[in-house]
Amino acid sequence: MNGKDRADSWPVSDVDHLLQEIDMPQLDYQEVAASQRLDSIRQRWPLLDEMLNNSKLNADNGDKA
Amino acid sequence: MNSLALYGLRGGAGVTSVVAALGYALHALGQRVLLVDLTGDAMLGLHFNCPVSSLCATDGEALWEIVPGLDVLILGSSPVASSEAKGRSLAEIIAGATAYYDQLLVDAGNAGRAKKLADGMSVGLRQIEVVPVDAAAHVRLYRDYRGQLLLVNNFAPESRLQNDLLMLWQHQPELNLLPVTLHQDEAWNEALACKQPLALARPQSQAAQEIASLAVWCMAQAER
């Protein structure tokens, strides 16, 4: 059994226990959808938004960006 | 032979530096490389230690062998040399160079000259537009884009605006962005000040690593 298989076979609780043993901080993240991020960019920079609305790049497929 | 014409979305985009660095990186990968300067100001030779005085004196054509397998051709440093004349010269040169070189990189200067060259060529000449990451570039890109490959240059990741611009561009499927982004790096300035190509002057720099990646991409294109 190689290292990866062994790691995959560990119960999750053991991994959590190991992380606690080595004092690893619990990492957390917040999932942000790309469309949400793009919307906020457009709100932040009016010129960028205006170009996206008026560009021929978006003429065929609507407002994608 | 893989033929690429690079030009800037606007002046000062860093095209000549990229052509010099990319040419040297391709040569380091064992490619036979011809670099052609069509810009009229003949700056390309300066990246390879060519003397300023001799470049300024070049009125017609000058060919410099930097090292075996890496040549720099200056086509007319005189500002009166017409683009059409250069276009004809380049077509003839490419026809003759196919047997001697693996990679041809043309510093075309501007979009008009690159398009004219590509239209007049019998072999495929791919056009790459070097794009700085700023609001003016965004306007020009979304107003005038015609399907060319885009190489993002001088990207400063600490800038919020530049990060936002790059994300917008990467999510615009119509824009043909190259897989390599060139970051802002003082190594570019230092290399020119040393009159050396990037990988020779600052081999450990981030810019040199990115150009090496771009060179691998160029070789992959040649094999297609």
Side-chain angles (χ1 to χ4, degrees):
Chain A
M1 182 183 286
N2 62 33
K4 182 179 184 304
D5 292 339
R6 197 161 52 239
D8 289 345
S9 66
W10 283 352
V12 174
S13 58
D14 284 1
V15 175
D16 289 342
H17 179 70
L18 182 63
L19 290 175
Q20 285 172 5
E21 285 291 314
I22 61 174
D23 204 20
M24 176 77 81
Q26 289 289 316
L27 299 178
D28 200 5
Y29 64 92
Q30 187 180 4
E31 195 171 348
V32 179
S35 59
Q36 206 177 331
R37 170 91 195 274
L38 293 173
D39 284 344
S40 68
I41 291 172
R42 297 177 68 152
Q43 286 171 15
R44 191 178 304 136
W45 311 109
L47 177 62
L48 274 51
D49 183 49
E50 190 176 339
M51 287 309 297
L52 288 165
N53 286 332
N54 291 293
S55 171
K56 61 184 178 185
L57 290 180
N58 293 319
D60 296 334
N61 47 14
D63 194 4
K64 292 174 66 172
Chain B
M1 186 174 66
N2 186 36
S3 304
L4 299 172
L6 288 87
Y7 62 93
L9 180 134
R10 57 170 165 72
V15 180
T16 304
S17 296
V18 170
V19 168
L22 184 57
Y24 189 82
L26 283 164
H27 181 262
L29 291 171
Q31 298 284 287
R32 297 167 299 170
V33 183
L34 175 64
L35 307 179
V36 181
D37 186 336
L38 290 183
T39 61
D41 63 5
M43 290 280 284
L44 186 57
L46 297 181
H47 293 264
F48 297 98
N49 204 28
C50 296
V52 176
S53 55
S54 63
L55 293 175
C56 294
T58 304
D59 223 14
E61 299 178 5
L63 180 64
W64 301 79
E65 185 187 56
I66 307 303
V67 290
L70 176 59
D71 297 337
V72 175
L73 177 67
I74 311 292
L75 279 183
S77 58
S78 165
V80 296
S82 75
S83 299
E84 282 185 15
K86 289 176 183 174
R88 280 198 299 275
S89 298
L90 187 62
E92 293 164 6
I93 289 163
I94 288 179
T98 307
Y100 301 103
Y101 298 99
D102 304 308
Q103 303 280 343
L104 170 76
L105 303 181
V106 180
D107 181 359
N110 60 50
R113 192 176 296 144
K115 186 174 184 309
K116 190 176 286 186
L117 280 171
D119 292 345
M121 305 284 267
S122 55
V123 297
L125 181 72
R126 305 186 77 185
Q127 298 173 59
I128 297 180
E129 188 168 50
V130 179
V131 184
V133 193
D134 58 33
H138 180 75
V139 172
R140 289 171 192 246
L141 205 54
Y142 276 71
R143 190 186 60 193
D144 305 327
Y145 186 68
R146 53 188 170 81
Q148 68 274 25
L149 294 165
L150 302 173
L151 174 61
V152 172
N153 190 25
N154 210 22
F155 174 61
E158 68 274 14
S159 160
R160 187 178 198 180
L161 174 59
Q162 291 199 28
N163 268 296
D164 287 352
L165 277 167
L166 191 56
M167 183 167 185
L168 281 180
W169 296 351
Q170 286 172 337
H171 282 80
Q172 185 77 49
E174 291 83 357
L175 297 178
N176 294 323
L177 287 172
L178 288 185
V180 178
T181 294
L182 303 178
H183 288 69
Q184 192 176 60
D185 193 333
E186 190 62 11
W188 288 106
N189 286 328
E190 293 173 354
L192 177 57
C194 294
K195 296 186 70 181
Q196 291 178 342
L198 181 68
L200 187 62
R202 296 292 180 268
Q204 302 303 321
S205 63
Q206 181 182 13
Q209 306 301 317
E210 290 166 350
I211 282 292
S213 298
L214 191 59
V216 171
W217 176 86
C218 287
M219 290 182 65
Q221 298 303 303
E223 289 171 6
R224 281 188 169 185

